[in-house]
Amino acid sequence: MAEATRGRGVRRVAALVVVAMACVLTGSGAAWAWWRATATAEAPSNRLAAGTVDVQVAGLGSELVGRGGTVSLPALALTGAMPGAGDSELVTVRNAGSRPATVTATTARTGTLGTSFAATASFGATDTGNGCSTGAGGTATVPARGSVSLCVAVSLATNAPSTTQGQSGGVSVALRAALPGTSWDDTGTMLSGAVGAATVPAPTLTCGLLGIASVTFNWTAVPSATRYRFGYGPGGNTPVEVAAGTTMYQVTGQATNATARVRAERVFSTGTAWNSAWSNTRRYTITLGLLGTCS
């Protein structure tokens, strides 16, 4: 029974399908159509390949070949710097990668160098000996296997305050090459030679001639001094200016266990003045009618 029922059901369904197809084919306004199309996909003319990026510097140590690294730039150095002094050097930066890269150069001070020291890096600038001419700034696009000149400079401001004395350190230049539109990059660092500010040396104070109600003080000459500042009295806080070339001062007037001290001062052509540290101190006593004492 189950088989007979299934047979009749199949025939009934087939009949319905035939009737439905006849209605579609003969129905008013009905139409059937088939579409078929073919196309050919062509491979790109240029093969796809991974790019490489490698920033290098010519003639410096390992030249930063490969990923990362640090090289020295000893020719860039500025020791014993006074206000307005500077030094600069040209470096050849290479893009050893397979594609054009955007290269940036970022400078920083190291050690105890303060803001009176300026460090700059500019692509395409000219080395003037103590600075760099105006260039393209710290960013350049370098073609694959190409190179570009980079001028690096360090200088001390013409108005650098006296507190700049003795500061020392160096300059670092961080290089980064990046492939545009990607996160791929390569970095490297250049480190300068020594950079530091000059110091005005302090004189040494000694007791000189002892007179009636007077004491004379002498001090060692400081060749770079423009003038001296001598202090006497309580705490050595009564100042008097002494011209360069003079290394003595006589104190008169009553005083008991007073203090004497001296410092050198250098005035630069920019008008900026640097002072040495105060010298050692001397104690003195002056009494009317008696020889002064000093120790």
Side-chain angles (χ1 to χ4, degrees):
M1 291 292 294
E3 291 180 0
T5 302
R6 284 199 299 273
R8 288 195 297 272
V10 171
R11 287 191 293 273
R12 187 179 304 113
V13 171
L16 290 174
V17 171
V18 171
V19 172
M21 290 180 64
C23 291
V24 172
L25 293 173
T26 60
S28 175
W32 277 58
W34 293 86
W35 288 270
R36 181 178 180 181
T38 60
T40 301
E42 296 183 359
S45 58
N46 295 325
R47 297 180 60 187
L48 298 178
T52 59
V53 57
D54 185 11
V55 62
Q56 300 178 1
V57 289
L60 297 179
S62 67
E63 298 192 348
L64 297 179
V65 175
R67 297 287 294 170
T70 300
V71 295
S72 296
L73 180 57
L76 181 68
L78 186 65
T79 56
M82 296 177 288
D87 188 36
S88 52
E89 290 294 328
L90 282 180
V91 178
T92 300
V93 178
R94 293 192 301 241
N95 171 18
S98 62
R99 297 184 182 180
T102 300
V103 182
T104 57
T106 305
T107 60
R109 297 180 299 272
T110 65
T112 62
L113 298 183
T115 55
S116 291
F117 280 94
T120 60
S122 182
F123 289 101
T126 301
D127 179 5
T128 64
N130 59 359
C132 298
S133 66
T134 302
T139 302
T141 299
V142 186
R145 314 300 180 188
S147 62
V148 63
S149 66
L150 175 67
C151 186
V152 184
V154 59
S155 61
L156 182 57
T158 56
N159 62 346
S162 185
T163 52
T164 306
Q165 294 182 77
Q167 293 180 1
S168 62
V171 171
S172 69
V173 183
L175 297 173
R176 178 178 182 266
L179 294 185
T182 76
S183 60
W184 295 4
D185 66 358
D186 181 38
T187 59
T189 303
M190 294 187 294
L191 298 177
S192 75
V195 176
T199 300
V200 179
T204 299
L205 185 67
T206 58
C207 297
L209 181 66
L210 303 178
I212 300 298
S214 69
V215 175
T216 298
F217 295 92
N218 303 317
W219 58 85
T220 55
V222 176
S224 62
T226 304
R227 64 193 179 210
Y228 297 97
R229 186 77 55 181
F230 181 80
Y232 65 98
N237 292 324
T238 301
V240 59
E241 183 178 309
V242 180
T246 302
T247 56
M248 60 171 289
Y249 189 79
Q250 184 184 66
V251 178
T252 59
Q254 294 189 79
T256 302
N257 201 28
T259 300
R261 58 182 183 170
V262 65
R263 74 183 183 195
E265 299 180 353
R266 182 171 182 177
V267 181
F268 299 95
S269 59
T270 59
T272 299
W274 282 10
N275 307 321
S276 74
W278 285 103
S279 69
N280 58 306
T281 59
R282 295 290 180 178
R283 311 290 290 182
Y284 70 94
T285 296
I286 297 176
T287 304
L288 291 178
L290 299 176
L291 285 174
T293 63
C294 178
S295 60

